[in-house]
Amino acid sequence: MHWPLAGLLLAALLGLPAGAAAEQQRGRLLQQTPQDCSNTASGRWFITDDRGMVCERQQLDHQSGCCTTGQQHSCDTCEAEDRCCSQYEHCVSCCLKPENEPEAHMHDIYRGRNKPETGHWETPFQYCQAVCRTTARSTQHENAFILDRKYCFSKLGRPHVPVPPAPPLPHSLKLVAGAAAQPCDAACAAKGMACKAEHFAGLNDCNSLRAKFMCEAGCGAAASDQREFPGYIEGSAPKHQRPAFCAVLPPFPGQAGPAFNCSQAAGSVRRLCPCEPLPAAAVAASQGAGGAEGAAAQQAAEAGDTAQQAAAVAQQAAAVQEAQAQQQQAAAQQQQPGDAAAQQAALQLGQQQQQQVQQQAQPQAAGTE
Ligand SMILES: *[C@@H]1O[C@H](CO)[C@@H](O)[C@H](O)[C@H]1NC(C)=O
């Protein structure tokens, strides 16, 4: 207790920042008394101290912060190939193992991700804690197979897995939980959308499933030919069907990825479906592109409010473009030349419509990051 105080006094006298002095002070104390450790602190069951020792919480000496017993430089839940572990504390411990050269890798990353101005970590322990934590965050939304070993002390920061990393889902896509025995085609159609099989890869993970279903019995892999997954098996299902279990679809043998299918269904399975809103064109068409309205769209476009139009197009992307193309087509068919008054009325209607399109587009754009 006296030494840190003395250190702070010294720091004050020398005008050093207190933190830096404390850091130096601690460094010295570590050399003098190895029984003073920093540790990972947050683990529920395990702790790793800065000597790379992993122990259970009750084996921690709370006075010194050191593990009293345990395994040093343990790579228990890690794989050497990709340097990824399923336990954070093993990741830190293994990372500190001399043959993994933490001193050398310390300079690979910045304290703030990709921010050189934040500098590098000062000790291998700080570095290992940070690198193991950072990669865990970055793999959180990836495939379920990745999730198991999400703590990596590699520069890549990702486990090697047999499935290609999932492409990010488009912002327009909605994740819809189907009813029991309902194929995704029907689940999406019920909400005025269409199932897009190419986007299953982006939701085929336990996080996505848990966001929609309780998964009381856990989450894991289905058989590769159970194409009614990813999904949730209802609690009322017979025992052998694993009631209340969430399942992701693993890669199909001999193929690069799982064999996703929008039209499959099974008795007690509620599917998780990638649904894409139907293009605005389809909606507009179904509302009846009645004469004045259709002509109005054409007039508005010709009136040359191009800034507005460009913004709307940028925000709604392909859907709006397609809608406009169709509206213009409809307008071209229905436009009667020479009736100036009608055209003027149509023009006003068209501008209102444009504003509506924009207002609808805005919340969507705001929803994107
Ligand atoms: C999806 O499943 C249906 C019904 O079994 C089948 O007819 C269809 O060919 C499958 N589609 C794909 C893309 O595999």
Side-chain angles (χ1 to χ4, degrees):
M1 278 295 146
H2 297 291
W3 275 106
L5 269 180
L8 282 176
L9 270 176
L10 197 65
L13 285 172
L14 295 174
L16 285 174
E23 196 64 40
Q24 285 176 0
Q25 182 69 30
R26 204 170 50 77
R28 237 176 288 137
L29 283 178
L30 262 178
Q31 282 159 17
Q32 289 162 10
T33 52
Q35 291 307 307
D36 181 16
C37 304
S38 297
N39 63 52
T40 51
S42 62
R44 194 159 162 200
W45 289 290
F46 297 103
I47 294 264
T48 299
D49 69 24
D50 57 10
R51 300 167 302 168
M53 188 86 97
V54 188
C55 62
E56 289 176 35
R57 267 203 166 272
Q58 64 260 32
Q59 294 165 335
L60 184 76
D61 179 335
H62 290 275
Q63 208 76 30
S64 65
C66 302
C67 287
T68 54
T69 171
Q71 245 187 313
Q72 194 176 28
H73 302 144
S74 165
C75 299
D76 265 8
T77 64
C78 312
E79 273 179 29
E81 182 206 7
D82 55 18
R83 301 179 157 217
C84 293
C85 322
S86 46
Q87 282 282 343
Y88 173 69
E89 288 75 17
H90 287 142
C91 180
V92 177
S93 179
C94 192
C95 170
L96 286 168
K97 195 172 181 171
E99 69 185 58
N100 287 327
E101 303 181 319
E103 303 262 5
H105 290 298
M106 251 165 77
H107 305 290
D108 287 354
I109 65 165
Y110 298 106
R111 298 170 72 124
R113 211 171 177 196
N114 303 323
K115 289 184 190 145
E117 70 273 16
T118 59
H120 295 289
W121 297 102
E122 285 165 22
T123 66
F125 183 62
Q126 286 178 347
Y127 158 74
C128 288
Q129 279 186 290
V131 75
C132 289
R133 213 181 293 122
T134 309
T135 57
R137 231 181 281 128
S138 70
T139 54
Q140 234 163 41
H141 297 289
E142 299 246 340
N143 196 287
F145 307 98
I146 289 179
L147 277 179
D148 184 43
R149 290 187 303 109
K150 61 182 174 181
Y151 305 105
C152 308
F153 55 95
S154 63
K155 203 172 179 183
L156 175 69
R158 272 155 214 279
H160 301 177
V161 285
V163 285
L169 294 175
H171 288 293
S172 59
L173 200 85
K174 301 269 181 293
L175 270 54
V176 171
Q182 189 179 39
C184 280
D185 284 330
C188 293
K191 301 212 178 245
M193 296 186 274
C195 175
K196 295 288 172 187
E198 68 268 31
H199 293 312
F200 269 114
L203 55 79
N204 188 33
D205 61 80
C206 292
N207 282 341
S208 300
L209 285 165
R210 285 196 170 104
K212 290 282 180 189
F213 304 109
M214 289 300 291
C215 311
E216 299 93 330
C219 180
S224 60
D225 61 348
Q226 286 183 295
R227 297 181 188 186
E228 64 272 23
F229 290 106
Y232 168 70
I233 303 157
E234 284 206 306
S236 56
K239 258 226 156 66
H240 70 272
Q241 287 180 12
R242 295 203 282 184
F245 189 78
C246 282
V248 297
L249 196 58
F252 200 77
Q255 288 182 15
F260 299 115
N261 188 312
C262 282
S263 61
Q264 299 265 339
S268 48
V269 175
R270 297 189 58 191
R271 301 196 61 179
L272 183 61
C273 309
C275 303
E276 201 164 80
L278 293 170
V283 179
S286 72
Q287 283 171 352
E293 275 185 64
Q298 168 76 358
Q299 288 294 329
E302 281 176 2
D305 201 346
T306 43
Q308 267 200 2
Q309 208 185 9
V313 167
Q315 284 162 356
Q316 285 201 327
V320 162
Q321 282 178 346
E322 206 175 320
Q324 283 175 344
Q326 293 214 359
Q327 282 174 342
Q328 284 173 11
Q329 220 173 6
Q333 283 163 8
Q334 286 158 10
Q335 197 176 10
Q336 302 293 326
D339 190 346
Q343 282 192 2
Q344 184 59 32
L347 178 63
Q348 281 168 0
L349 203 63
Q351 281 164 344
Q352 283 168 12
Q353 223 179 26
Q354 286 273 314
Q355 279 164 2
Q356 273 174 10
V357 166
Q358 275 210 305
Q359 279 159 6
Q360 283 164 3
Q362 246 123 44
Q364 215 176 347
T368 68
E369 286 155 4

